[in-house]
Structure formats: structure tokens, C-alpha cells
Amino acid sequence: IVSLIFKQFKLVFETLEASKKPTINLVIPCYYRLQTVLKRDIADLPAISLLKTLVKRDLDEKFYTSIKAIHWLGCYLDPSFRSFSFLPTRTTADVEFKENIKEDIKKWAVEHVMTQAETKKMIQSHQLFADE
């Protein structure tokens, strides 16, 4: 069982370290894949359950805290992940989180695109560097 758990980690890290293709859209699905692997099962031996708990804690502290809006946007822009089907929907809170993420991404994307357009317009009209 331990080797099966760590085999998934190896696959995730190999996927994210691919240097010939963009991987920003894969960060969040990979995180949730590992979450699924680390889900405790009633049939787990106590040592396996403890291992899963400790690894999950470290994964949350190190991996989840590194996830940024750009990762969510990358996921949303990838048609294979746009529905966020990798997110859990077992509870009402899970479903609300999923819907909130979708709304936040749409807002962020619109704001970012508008900011880029406004910046470009200001550069073209020489207002951005007027003091130089």
C-alpha cells in the first residue's frame, strides 16, 4: 500500500516537472489526485492511516499554500479541466467551494484582461510614462 501511495506522488511530480510543455493547468488536478490517494479508508491499518494523515498534512502545508489564482485560471482555460470535475462534491461546502472558484476565476479573468487593455491603451497614448 505504501508503494502505491508513493507511486502516485512520483507520477504527479514527473507530470509537473515536464519541461517541454506547460504544466500550470495541471497543478490543482495533481493536488486533488494526491488528496484522493491520501484519503483514509476504514480498512487501512493504523500505520497506513497515520502515514496518510501525516503526508496529507504536509501536502496541505507545502503544496496547497503554493496554489495561486493563475493555477485556477490555467485549469479553467484547459477544456479538459474547465468543469473542475476533479474537485470533491461530497458536501454542500464542497459544491459551494466549486461554484465560488468558478465565479472568482471569471471575475479575476475579466479584471486582469481589463487591466491589460487599460495598460496597453495608456502606453499607446503615452499616459503611462508621462513623467519620464
Side-chain angles (χ1 to χ4, degrees):
I1 293 177
V2 172
S3 64
L4 293 175
I5 292 171
F6 288 110
K7 182 179 181 180
Q8 293 300 313
F9 275 81
K10 181 179 185 263
L11 292 172
V12 163
F13 290 122
E14 286 173 351
T15 299
L16 294 177
E17 291 174 348
S19 61
K20 303 247 188 252
K21 60 181 183 173
T23 60
I24 200 159
N25 60 316
L26 302 175
V27 170
I28 297 171
C30 284
Y31 168 80
Y32 280 98
R33 178 179 186 179
L34 294 177
Q35 285 292 333
T36 301
V37 169
L38 295 172
K39 184 179 176 195
R40 291 172 44 203
D41 188 285
I42 196 157
D44 286 343
L45 295 171
I48 299 299
S49 183
L50 178 61
L51 174 70
K52 286 180 175 181
T53 299
L54 295 174
V55 172
K56 183 181 180 312
R57 182 197 66 204
D58 289 344
L59 182 69
D60 288 343
E61 288 177 5
K62 304 290 185 200
F63 198 152
Y64 189 75
T65 58
S66 299
I67 293 175
K68 307 293 182 212
I70 193 71
H71 297 107
W72 288 105
L73 182 60
C75 249
Y76 185 75
L77 293 175
D78 183 331
S80 60
F81 297 127
R82 178 168 289 166
S83 69
F84 296 112
S85 59
F86 55 84
L87 289 176
T89 55
R90 291 182 301 272
T91 67
T92 303
D94 290 342
V95 173
E96 288 176 2
F97 176 77
K98 185 175 181 175
E99 293 307 313
N100 288 340
I101 285 293
K102 287 181 181 180
E103 288 304 314
D104 288 346
I105 289 169
K106 290 175 188 174
K107 288 177 191 172
W108 184 80
V110 167
E111 289 170 7
H112 183 71
V113 169
M114 288 177 64
T115 301
Q116 294 289 347
E118 290 168 2
T119 302
K120 184 177 179 181
K121 187 177 181 179
M122 289 176 70
I123 290 172
Q124 289 173 341
S125 66
H126 305 289
Q127 293 175 356
L128 188 60
F129 302 108
D131 296 335
E132 295 182 9

